[in-house]
Amino acid sequence: EIKKQNLKVEWCMNERVLLEYFIGKMKQVDPDLIVCHGMTTGIFEVLINRINQLKTAHWSRLGRYKT
């Protein structure tokens, strides 16, 4: 049985807004460790590349990760 959870879905107008929202959440949560499916297959590099290509504001909040 799956228990109901209080989940919140955020709608974003475009990819840049979505990435800015993600960066803001990362700043707010300030994780010491990030674990995700596919991390070793380059998903984080794809994320950083999209942030750079879209010239997303506040990308430096992600810390030392740069392309």
Side-chain angles (χ1 to χ4, degrees):
E1 179 178 312
I2 298 175
K3 295 180 181 180
K4 290 185 178 183
Q5 299 177 5
N6 280 339
L7 299 177
K8 184 178 179 184
V9 176
E10 291 291 330
W11 181 85
C12 297
M13 187 178 303
N14 56 45
E15 186 179 7
R16 180 180 291 157
V17 173
L18 174 65
L19 290 170
E20 288 173 356
Y21 178 79
F22 172 74
I23 292 169
K25 278 296 186 184
M26 293 296 287
K27 174 75 172 162
Q28 179 184 3
V29 173
D30 191 25
D32 292 325
L33 177 67
I34 300 172
V35 178
C36 73
H37 177 72
M39 180 71 95
T40 59
T41 60
I43 193 68
F44 203 70
E45 286 79 12
V46 170
L47 177 66
I48 297 300
N49 283 332
R50 293 305 297 154
I51 287 170
N52 283 337
Q53 288 175 357
L54 294 171
K55 298 180 181 4
T56 305
H58 309 296
W59 64 268
S60 62
R61 290 183 177 173
L62 290 179
R64 61 185 172 89
Y65 299 103
K66 298 178 186 173
T67 56

